[in-house]
């Protein structure tokens, strides 16, 4: 069967602002709630991936992806993100329940996720958002991760675990930090800004991108120059 994962991603986008997060409800949006692995399952099956008889967790999702012509292209190493990549956080054997997280890439920087986090436009009960993957990864303490890509979606070049130094240089050409005169810190990626809420998160991001520059400006000036990442 030919896959059209963009259809599945579109179906997930319809849940933004509608569904809330829960690991104990339907996990498939039928009652207005879902969790991270349920959302990925919903997106992929709406895109043509063969369904299981149950909704997988971040533990059982690995084998389901492999059984459906997905390839593990990166394991806790830098990679060049591509739309439709499936990213799973948390070591195998340790990621069940709240120990793991997962989402689907929508482009080379951002992913769509169902999260309990109240940020990113969510309310107190969480929900489905599109967010910058690396910012969210750093926010959560840089967890161990796996990346799967459909063989139907693979390019002719080898996508597997690109050289981290090359990837770092590529990212830092389009990513930098703004330290505002008012005392706030933002990350700028591709002309879009995201607020960095804590010093600890800023420290993690600086460690992840040690060569990324930090510039000083007024917050009003920054908001006129760049677009908010929503």
């Amino acid at each position: 069967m030919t896959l059209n994962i963009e259809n599945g991603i579109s179906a997930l986008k319809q849940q933004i602002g509608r569904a809330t997060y829960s690991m104990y409800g339907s996990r498939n949006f039928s009652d207005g709630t879902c969790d991270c692995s349920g959302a990925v399952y919903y997106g992929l099956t709406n895109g043509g991936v063969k369904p299981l008889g149950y909704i997988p967790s971040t533990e059982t999702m690995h084998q389901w992806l492999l059984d459906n012509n997905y390839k593990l292209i990166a394991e806790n190493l830098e990679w060049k993100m591509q739309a439709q990549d499936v990213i799973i956080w948390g070591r195998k054997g340790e990621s069940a329940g709240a120990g793991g997280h997962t989402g689907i890439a929508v482009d080379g920087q951002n992913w769509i996720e169902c999260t309990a986090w109240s940020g990113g436009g969510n309310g107190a009960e969480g929900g489905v958002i599109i967010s910058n993957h690396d910012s969210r990864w750093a926010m959560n303490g840089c967890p161990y991760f796996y990346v799967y890509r459909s063989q139907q979606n693979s390019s002719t070049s080898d996508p597997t675990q690109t050289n981290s130094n090359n990837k770092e240089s590529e990212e830092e050409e389009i990513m930098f930090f703004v330290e505002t005169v008012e005392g706030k810190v933002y990350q700028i990626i591709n002309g879009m800004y995201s607020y960095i809420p804590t010093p600890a998160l800023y420290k993690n991001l600086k460690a992840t991108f040690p060569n990324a520059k930090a510039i000083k400006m007024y917050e009003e000036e920054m908001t006129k120059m760049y677009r908010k990442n929503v």
Side-chain angles (χ1 to χ4, degrees):
M1 180 179 180
T2 301
L3 301 183
N4 190 337
I5 303 303
E6 284 303 318
N7 282 350
I9 292 173
S10 294
L12 274 178
K13 288 178 178 178
Q14 295 300 311
Q15 300 296 333
I16 294 174
R18 297 174 59 186
T20 56
Y21 180 89
S22 175
M23 292 191 294
Y24 307 107
S26 67
R27 299 183 60 224
N28 64 8
F29 299 112
S30 63
D31 62 352
T33 71
C34 200
D35 66 1
C36 64
S37 53
V40 169
Y41 180 74
Y42 177 88
L44 296 185
T45 53
N46 271 276
V49 177
K50 184 179 179 181
L52 286 167
Y54 59 91
I55 299 173
S57 67
T58 48
E59 285 291 314
T60 55
M61 184 171 287
H62 297 272
Q63 191 58 52
W64 177 60
L65 292 170
L66 292 171
D67 289 344
N68 282 279
N69 203 30
Y70 277 75
K71 180 182 178 182
L72 178 65
I73 64 162
E75 181 174 341
N76 210 43
L77 290 173
E78 293 279 3
W79 90 104
K80 189 172 183 179
M81 182 185 282
Q82 182 173 303
Q84 305 179 22
D85 287 350
V86 178
I87 305 104
I88 302 175
W89 295 350
R91 288 182 182 272
K92 292 178 184 178
E94 302 174 7
S95 72
H101 191 50
T102 184
I104 305 174
V106 298
D107 55 36
Q109 297 283 343
N110 302 296
W111 69 342
I112 189 165
E113 54 171 329
C114 185
T115 173
W117 182 47
S118 60
N122 272 338
E125 295 181 313
V128 179
I129 59 171
I130 293 174
S131 60
N132 179 267
H133 173 269
D134 288 356
S135 293
R136 292 278 290 129
W137 178 70
M139 186 186 303
N140 284 273
C142 305
Y144 199 93
F145 66 88
Y146 307 83
V147 183
Y148 292 88
R149 181 173 295 167
S150 170
Q151 295 306 284
Q152 179 178 301
N153 196 34
S154 295
S155 62
T156 54
S157 60
D158 182 6
T160 306
Q161 298 180 350
T162 55
N163 180 276
S164 60
N165 291 330
N166 290 341
K167 178 63 164 58
E168 182 179 278
S169 299
E170 177 184 303
E171 291 293 326
E172 290 172 356
E173 286 178 2
I174 56 174
M175 193 279 282
F176 59 94
F177 301 103
V178 169
E179 299 173 352
T180 69
V181 174
E182 294 85 353
K184 293 182 178 180
V185 181
Y186 294 85
Q187 183 183 34
I188 313 294
I189 300 177
N190 284 340
M192 301 180 72
Y193 68 86
S194 300
Y195 175 54
I196 301 174
T198 66
L201 175 56
Y202 186 33
K203 183 178 179 180
N204 280 340
L205 287 168
K206 291 279 282 184
T208 303
F209 301 101
N211 298 320
K213 63 182 179 179
I215 62 175
K216 229 18 171 188
M217 65 172 63
Y218 287 97
E219 186 165 353
E220 182 181 8
E221 179 185 10
M222 183 204 68
T223 58
K224 290 180 178 178
M225 292 177 65
Y226 306 108
R227 295 177 295 120
K228 186 176 182 180
N229 187 7
V230 294

